[in-house]
Amino acid sequence: MSSRWQLNLDRASFLEQYWQRRPLLVRSAIEGFEPPVDANELAGLAMEEDVEARIIEQHNGRWHLEHGPFSDNAYQRPASWTLLVQSVDHYIPGVEGLRRMIDFIPQWRVDDVMVSYAVDGGSVGPHYDNYDVFLLQGEGERLWQLGQTCDESSRLLPHDELRILDQFTVEQEFLLQRGDMLYIPPGLAHWGVARGECTTFSLGFRAPRIVDMVSRWADQLVDSLGGGEFYQDPGRNALIRPGEISATDMQRVREKIRHALESVKDEHWFGELVTEPRSEPSPLDGDARAYLGSGFSHVDLLAPARLAWQQQQGNTVQVYANGVSRPFAAAVIPILEQLCGNGSFRMEKSENNKELNELSALFQFLLETGVIHVR
Ligand code: SIN
Ligand code: CO
């Protein structure tokens, strides 16, 4: 179980006034914050094969990017540099706890915790992100400047991978110290420069692209429609202008399509889309029934796991785990709430056969999708 952090934030007013709208500085967002990972551990993580890490450096007025894994000598550089390590919450329980601290936004909107370490003057340049982020200051200090609102048309410096803004207009400036936190909504230009060595925790969000939602929804529509129905035009008027596709024909087409769209009731594609994992999950071997039969046991949610659920009509719940879904009896909802809320669940030995069947079916699914481990 990861440690719990207390976030000093008025959730209701944050959601009402700032979330997705405007930036917010929260001084001492975590009172007496002791960063759960330091520069050495971060450098060590960035040496591992499976860990996604980058170094960004500004040298002779140009920006450079290198991808990990890194070796020791990558950390000896003359110019100002920043090491960024993605999904540190998957590896370090204290960092997973920081992600879990964001318990007032649905988990399907929460992505991962990236941690950066920078030497004095290090920065990733002025840029904007497509997603919301909470920037929590770890060790040291960082000067954050906030600028203009950007979109796809904002001009970028020429670079194959980095998205650094060509222009940056400073509108606000904040010096963050350990435990301070800055919320930045999508599209807002920002630029954080290290004052001395520092670490920053980026608690990042995700949101599905509209194009991906349409594509997944259309896939489901196509599957459920089959090929048996055709365009129909009883009572049509005689052709007047040879070759024409008439406005009335197009209206019939639109009506047919609208009718087809309304016939799709199944919305499982959405939960499957938003629980897609960042990396391939590793399901664990095991038989849930054997665990349940053996008495008391603990079920823990794995740190990278993506789990969500949706109550359905007819006393069932659709459970989404790492991008796949299955229906279960609604009786398992309290277990799902505990797993999603606390990251763990304590199983009691059950004498009730029906309950045992439902529980073991759920846990078998969660084992097979690589969402839990059992101890
Ligand atoms: C950083 O930690 O240096 C960059 C984080 C960000 O700007 O999104
Ligand atoms: Co950013």
Side-chain angles (χ1 to χ4, degrees):
M1 225 351 246
S2 49
S3 43
R4 276 275 171 191
W5 301 94
Q6 290 297 325
L7 179 64
N8 296 326
L9 178 73
D10 179 337
R11 272 91 167 144
S13 76
F14 170 73
L15 291 173
E16 202 181 296
Q17 296 173 51
Y18 299 96
W19 173 248
Q20 297 251 294
R21 293 197 170 108
R22 57 182 71 91
L24 175 68
L25 171 69
V26 187
R27 291 274 178 218
S28 296
I30 299 180
E31 210 70 55
F33 180 48
E34 289 296 334
V37 61
D38 65 19
N40 282 333
E41 287 170 285
L42 206 60
L45 262 182
M47 293 169 128
E48 289 178 26
E49 197 63 47
D50 299 335
V51 175
E52 197 185 324
R54 291 166 291 159
I55 288 180
I56 296 178
E57 178 181 39
Q58 199 183 15
H59 199 44
N60 296 334
R62 293 176 71 96
W63 293 93
H64 300 273
L65 166 71
E66 275 175 50
H67 291 281
F70 296 110
S71 57
D72 263 335
N73 55 15
Y75 306 133
Q76 315 298 323
R77 291 168 183 270
S80 296
W81 57 280
T82 303
L83 166 70
L84 303 120
V85 185
Q86 213 66 49
S87 303
V88 179
D89 52 317
H90 295 185
Y91 312 107
I92 298 183
V95 183
E96 187 198 351
L98 287 176
R99 192 194 71 219
R100 291 198 161 278
M101 172 181 86
I102 309 296
D103 56 1
F104 50 98
I105 309 268
Q107 279 138 1
W108 62 266
R109 290 284 271 123
V110 181
D111 194 1
D112 70 337
V113 182
M114 178 185 81
V115 186
S116 70
Y117 161 79
V119 300
D120 184 35
S123 100
V124 305
H127 66 281
Y128 73 95
D129 299 303
N130 290 316
Y131 305 108
D132 316 72
V133 65
F134 284 116
L135 299 161
L136 172 67
Q137 189 59 31
E139 301 291 354
E141 295 180 335
R142 186 186 282 274
L143 183 72
W144 282 102
Q145 294 184 318
L146 305 185
Q148 71 278 20
T149 300
C150 304
D151 60 27
E152 277 167 27
S153 65
S154 305
R155 286 227 324 264
L156 304 178
L157 293 181
H159 195 285
D160 288 346
E161 293 179 81
L162 290 174
R163 297 170 58 249
I164 297 172
L165 287 164
D166 185 33
Q167 282 182 345
F168 182 70
T169 321
V170 185
E171 287 176 10
Q172 279 175 295
E173 196 174 87
F174 306 106
L175 182 67
L176 265 73
Q177 288 167 331
R178 195 202 288 201
D180 293 345
M181 194 171 82
L182 183 60
Y183 164 73
I184 301 188
L188 187 75
H190 53 286
W191 190 1
V193 181
R195 286 273 185 94
E197 288 177 85
C198 82
T199 55
T200 300
F201 294 74
S202 296
L203 283 57
F205 292 82
R206 51 156 82 176
R209 286 176 192 275
I210 302 292
V211 64
D212 291 333
M213 292 202 286
V214 171
S215 146
R216 293 289 282 262
W217 176 68
D219 284 350
Q220 181 139 20
L221 179 70
V222 168
D223 283 351
S224 66
L225 282 176
E229 272 205 71
F230 295 87
Y231 168 83
Q232 291 166 333
D233 50 1
R236 66 166 309 129
N237 295 330
L239 177 75
I240 300 170
R241 299 189 288 192
E244 183 179 19
I245 295 174
S246 71
T248 322
D249 284 347
M250 279 318 294
Q251 201 177 331
R252 282 200 186 90
V253 167
R254 271 185 231 110
E255 264 161 34
K256 265 289 181 202
I257 289 180
R258 194 172 318 120
H259 186 256
L261 300 186
E262 280 163 9
S263 73
V264 180
K265 298 282 179 277
D266 187 345
E267 290 176 332
H268 301 165
W269 61 269
F270 182 75
E272 290 172 3
L273 174 68
V274 296
T275 56
E276 273 179 357
R278 282 185 77 95
S279 52
E280 200 54 43
S282 7
L284 301 168
D285 286 336
D287 178 34
R289 201 160 236 293
Y291 288 126
L292 287 162
S294 68
F296 298 100
S297 198
H298 288 83
V299 175
D300 296 313
L301 204 55
L302 293 167
R306 297 200 56 87
L307 179 64
W309 55 272
Q310 198 175 10
Q311 188 154 11
Q312 312 283 296
Q313 282 173 349
N315 224 17
T316 63
V317 58
Q318 191 75 11
V319 179
Y320 305 95
N322 282 340
V324 290
S325 79
R326 205 167 291 171
F328 292 91
V332 302
I333 289 177
I335 297 171
L336 293 165
E337 280 188 69
Q338 277 197 50
L339 264 180
C340 295
N342 308 333
S344 67
F345 176 76
R346 193 187 156 98
M347 295 195 280
E348 309 279 336
K349 188 173 173 143
S350 172
E351 302 299 334
N352 177 329
N353 242 342
K354 188 164 174 279
E355 210 175 272
L356 199 62
N357 281 341
E358 278 159 8
L359 264 181
S360 56
L362 174 69
F363 286 128
Q364 194 63 46
F365 173 63
L366 300 180
L367 279 173
E368 283 168 10
T369 48
V371 160
I372 54 165
H373 72 95
V374 181
R375 61 189 157 90

